[in-house]
Amino acid sequence: MVIPLAWYLIVAAALFCIGLYGALARRNAIGILMGIELMLNAVNINLVAFWRYVRPQMLTGQLFAIFVMTVAAAEVAVGLALVIAIYRSRDTVNVEEIDLLRG
Amino acid sequence: MLLPILFIFFSIAVLGFALLVVTTRNMFHAALFLVGALFGVAALYILLEAEFLAVVQILIYVGAIATLIVFAIMLSRNMMRRDIRAANDQWVEGAVAAVLLFALLVLVLSRASWPTVTAAAPPDAIPGIGKALVSDYVIPFEVASVLLLVGMVGAIIIARERE
């Protein structure tokens, strides 16, 4: 029995929504970054599932997933560097206390 | 009959680990659950016959990104003992938004139909990816390398201790 495409899409949608909740509801800035990583993974599952089920002879889906991973690596490196810099100057990584730009 | 069972097992593992990632109080445990979720996604890639991506997923996400997150958690350690609550004041709105988005996506997915084909996965996918990266996709490939370099230099500059 072949697994239907919709199963993968629903799992990816659920993973995306869990990541969205993490990005919206976490107090810790690193927790927010983890939520974003989950969302990016959900997108990658979608890309690979569409590659496998709709256009298996073209590799566009897999290549896009590779580029998403590359961007995710750069994003998490810069994001964590920002978190560490904020922690050094403000002694917290709680996003509710990081309000330098509040008017 | 084996494939759907494996799919359901790994899907439940991924979603369960992901829920733990966003709800656990201890950030260090959350990072370990994130590793579990990323391994589960790699397993889903293998079920989709994208073996190269599964290996890349484990190398980049588990090997590099998860390690980096663990380092950052250890460097900002006093957060772990002071932070009692895991969620901020807008977690109810966040949960409502996430559930509504999921309901919308399921509604759309249940009505859509895609032109799926039952062709087997190409046996030469990995050489194909290599060739595509240096022919059709050479510009994104080069831009990605510059992006990684800029990201690395930027991360070092931002996180560096200033005298």
Side-chain angles (χ1 to χ4, degrees), chain B residues 31-123:
Chain B
L32 296 183
F33 291 134
L34 181 69
V35 171
L38 297 173
F39 265 116
V41 174
L44 289 182
Y45 289 160
I46 289 182
L47 286 180
L48 282 165
E49 296 176 70
E51 297 88 358
F52 178 70
L53 267 185
V55 174
V56 170
Q57 166 90 5
I58 290 172
L59 280 178
I60 295 185
Y61 268 108
V62 181
I65 294 182
T67 316
L68 208 58
I69 289 176
V70 169
F71 266 112
I73 290 168
M74 287 176 159
L75 285 174
S76 60
R77 200 168 177 86
N78 83 344
M79 194 64 198
M80 279 162 63
R81 54 184 159 76
R82 264 199 306 133
D83 193 18
I84 309 300
R85 284 186 306 140
N88 58 22
D89 293 338
Q90 58 175 14
W91 73 272
V92 177
E93 290 92 331
V96 170
V99 169
L100 283 180
L101 179 65
F102 181 65
L104 179 72
L105 286 173
V106 169
L107 186 73
V108 171
L109 290 176
S110 62
R111 294 182 177 203
S113 70
W114 286 277
T116 53
V117 295
T118 50

Side-chain angles (χ1 to χ4, degrees), chain A residues 62-79:
Chain A
Q62 287 209 47
L63 286 160
F64 260 80
I66 290 172
F67 287 124
V68 169
M69 283 183 193
T70 315
V71 175
E75 169 251 330
V76 84
V78 176

